[in-house]
């Protein structure tokens, strides 16, 4: 699939894996800066001061980093967030010079729109023998209904 190694594909993979691994909303993914990445052994942690139930961010326990563990032994089957982010950094080395800027480039709306465009490309590439996207023919879900929001909700359901 030509999308996989393209800049759009690398962005989409990095955005999706960061959002799902942190179990956060896309808006929170958009606010992650390079300075937020805290290494601790075999994990990278990213602190979030606020949550849906604590918008002010005054609970000190919520400021503890959410840990994402890397597992290079699983190869392509892993949800290894940082390998995707490494590929993104290779394409955008200027991010390293400004760790206070959002890790993923562009405004929050632009990032969400870019991810949804990549997601639509992936969904339209994976089709059955009749050219119908698998999400529709196999699962009965129209492409228009699949976004980062629905992906995150499904991931949370699976995790729970």
């Amino acid at each position: 699939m030509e999308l996989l190694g393209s800049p759009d594909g690398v962005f989409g993979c990095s955005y999706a894996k960061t959002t799902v691994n942190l179990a956060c909303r896309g808006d929170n993914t958009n606010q992650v800066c390079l300075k937020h990445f805290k290494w601790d052994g075999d994990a990278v942690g990213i602190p979030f001061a606020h949550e849906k139930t604590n918008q002010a961010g005054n609970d000190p326990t919520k400021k503890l980093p959410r840990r994402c563990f890397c597992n290079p032994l699983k190869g392509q089957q892993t949800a290894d967030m940082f390998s995707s982010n490494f590929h993104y950094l290779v394409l955008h080395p200027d991010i390293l010079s400004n760790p206070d800027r959002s890790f993923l480039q562009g405004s929050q709306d632009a990032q969400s729109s870019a991810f949804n465009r990549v997601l639509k490309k992936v969904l339209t590439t994976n089709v059955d023998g009749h050219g119908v996207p698998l999400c529709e023919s196999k699962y009965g879900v129209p492409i228009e209904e699949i976004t980062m929001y629905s992906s995150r909700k499904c991931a949370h359901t699976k995790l729970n």
Side-chain angles (χ1 to χ4, degrees):
M1 173 191 328
E2 86 271 350
L3 179 64
L4 195 55
S6 72
D8 282 347
V10 171
F11 168 81
C13 190
S14 181
Y15 188 91
K17 286 186 176 184
T18 300
T19 303
V20 170
N21 274 280
L22 292 174
C24 69
R25 296 173 172 205
D27 289 348
N28 291 342
T29 302
N30 300 342
Q31 296 174 18
V32 173
C33 299
L34 197 59
K35 69 179 181 180
H36 295 135
F37 291 92
K38 310 290 184 204
W39 287 101
D40 184 17
D42 65 344
V44 64
I46 298 177
F48 285 116
H50 70 282
E51 290 182 330
K52 184 176 182 176
T53 58
N54 182 16
Q55 291 293 316
N58 10 355
D59 183 353
T61 60
K62 301 298 182 193
K63 294 181 183 180
L64 297 173
R66 296 182 187 182
R67 292 196 175 15
C68 302
F69 293 90
C70 303
N71 189 350
L73 300 177
K74 290 282 186 185
Q76 292 183 1
Q77 299 169 2
T78 185
D80 180 1
M81 176 190 82
F82 211 78
S83 65
S84 301
N85 290 342
F86 174 78
H87 292 129
Y88 187 79
L89 282 171
V90 168
L91 288 176
H92 304 284
D94 55 304
I95 293 170
L96 297 170
S97 64
N98 190 355
D100 294 329
R101 192 178 90 196
S102 177
F103 174 70
L104 297 167
Q105 295 183 331
S107 69
Q108 290 184 12
D109 288 339
Q111 290 176 23
S112 298
S113 296
F115 175 75
N116 286 328
R117 274 194 312 276
V118 170
L119 183 59
K120 302 299 183 229
K121 285 181 189 177
V122 170
L123 292 172
T124 56
T125 303
N126 295 294
V127 296
D128 64 12
H130 304 290
V132 178
L134 289 176
C135 62
E136 293 182 17
S137 65
K138 191 172 181 179
Y139 302 105
V141 180
I143 285 180
E144 303 79 41
E145 292 183 19
I146 301 175
T147 63
M148 173 47 75
Y149 177 78
S150 59
S151 303
R152 181 178 62 84
K153 288 298 186 183
C154 293
H156 285 226
T157 301
K158 216 170 193 183
L159 287 171
N160 288 334

